[in-house]
Amino acid sequence: MAAVSAEDRGHLQHDIASAIPAEVTQPYKPGGDFAENQLILEVGEIVWVLEQHDSGWWGGHKDSDATMGWFPAGVVRLTGPAANRKSQYYPGSVCTNDLRGVASPMGARRASDSGSKFQEHNAELVETNRNLQQELDLERQKRRDEFEEHTDKQSKLLNQIAVISRDLEKMKQEFRQKEAAIQRESESEVSRLQDDLRRKEAELAAVKATQQHQQEAADHV
């Protein structure tokens, strides 16, 4: 479509009261999932804006073309006396301020796709939450099992320590008893040896005395 001159723009008229004329300042070629519901725009073209959505997508049609579609707000510049007026937004369709519906090739599918994507995202979140909960339950059970195993090992170790301590104390008592018995036997043996020594010394003294008497007697003869 040929560009509309500046003089003609001032005379543009539209049968919907809320329509706002705008000039395309940047070319736009639709892309993505909703390309079929968007307008192809060339610099200098005039479009009639019927909806200005807060998402940054505006709805309307090109001048002299009744095909409705969506386009980025950043590629057009509002012109004419209604440039500062913003139309009301009604989800699912392009509507005028006086509530007259204008067929939107994108609205229903956008709402449906948004709902479908929301459901898919919600299902993914539920599944993720379920998986995380299962992993958390498994980790908790693993921790409980490890704790119970550690507690059991610790209990067995304490029992072993108690048994070894009792055995060690018993061995100490037996050692002390044997040491005392050996000490008593040693003292008794020493005493016996000392008695034998004294007896031998007395016998030796007696033998020497007898020998001396005999020698003296032999000397007098």
Side-chain angles (χ1 to χ4, degrees):
M1 184 185 69
V4 180
S5 66
E7 295 180 355
D8 293 335
R9 287 180 198 142
H11 303 290
L12 287 174
Q13 300 294 327
H14 200 282
D15 59 350
I16 297 179
S18 64
I20 305 174
E23 178 184 2
V24 179
T25 58
Q26 299 179 38
Y28 176 70
K29 183 176 182 181
D33 295 337
F34 303 115
E36 62 184 25
N37 300 314
Q38 301 172 23
L39 296 180
I40 299 175
L41 301 178
E42 298 293 340
V43 175
E45 290 183 320
I46 297 298
V47 295
W48 288 93
V49 181
L50 301 177
E51 179 180 340
Q52 299 177 50
H53 188 230
D54 292 336
S55 66
W57 286 92
W58 288 3
H61 65 85
K62 293 193 284 188
D63 191 39
S64 302
D65 187 344
T67 302
M68 301 296 299
W70 298 85
F71 48 89
V75 302
V76 300
R77 177 178 60 84
L78 296 177
T79 61
N84 296 324
R85 186 176 61 199
K86 186 174 182 180
S87 62
Q88 189 173 356
Y89 170 64
Y90 299 93
S93 64
V94 176
C95 300
T96 65
N97 282 340
D98 52 5
L99 302 183
R100 286 180 292 169
V102 178
S104 171
M106 181 177 180
R109 178 177 176 183
R110 179 180 59 185
S112 175
D113 288 349
S114 297
S116 176
K117 289 183 178 180
F118 174 79
Q119 292 178 354
E120 291 177 0
H121 182 64
N122 186 62
E124 290 177 358
L125 289 177
V126 171
E127 181 65 22
T128 300
N129 183 66
R130 183 184 298 110
N131 292 336
L132 290 176
Q133 187 62 45
Q134 291 177 352
E135 292 179 2
L136 180 60
D137 292 340
L138 291 175
E139 185 64 23
R140 285 176 176 172
Q141 184 61 43
K142 179 182 177 181
R143 296 294 183 183
R144 283 195 293 267
D145 293 342
E146 290 178 350
F147 177 76
E148 291 176 358
E149 182 180 0
H150 175 74
T151 301
D152 184 61
K153 289 182 178 179
Q154 187 177 31
S155 177
K156 290 180 179 179
L157 181 61
L158 291 174
N159 290 334
Q160 291 178 354
I161 292 175
V163 171
I164 293 174
S165 297
R166 288 195 297 269
D167 292 343
L168 180 60
E169 186 61 29
K170 183 178 179 181
M171 292 175 62
K172 288 181 178 179
Q173 291 178 356
E174 292 177 351
F175 175 78
R176 286 193 293 266
Q177 291 174 356
K178 289 182 178 180
E179 185 180 30
I182 292 173
Q183 183 67 26
R184 289 193 299 270
E185 292 178 358
S186 177
E187 291 176 354
S188 176
E189 182 67 17
V190 169
S191 178
R192 185 183 64 80
L193 291 175
Q194 288 176 345
D195 292 341
D196 290 345
L197 180 59
R198 286 193 291 270
R199 189 171 50 253
K200 294 294 184 180
E201 288 177 345
E203 291 177 356
L204 179 59
V207 170
K208 287 182 177 182
T210 301
Q211 183 180 13
Q212 184 177 0
H213 287 309
Q214 290 177 354
Q215 185 65 38
E216 290 177 351
D219 291 340
H220 289 324
V221 172

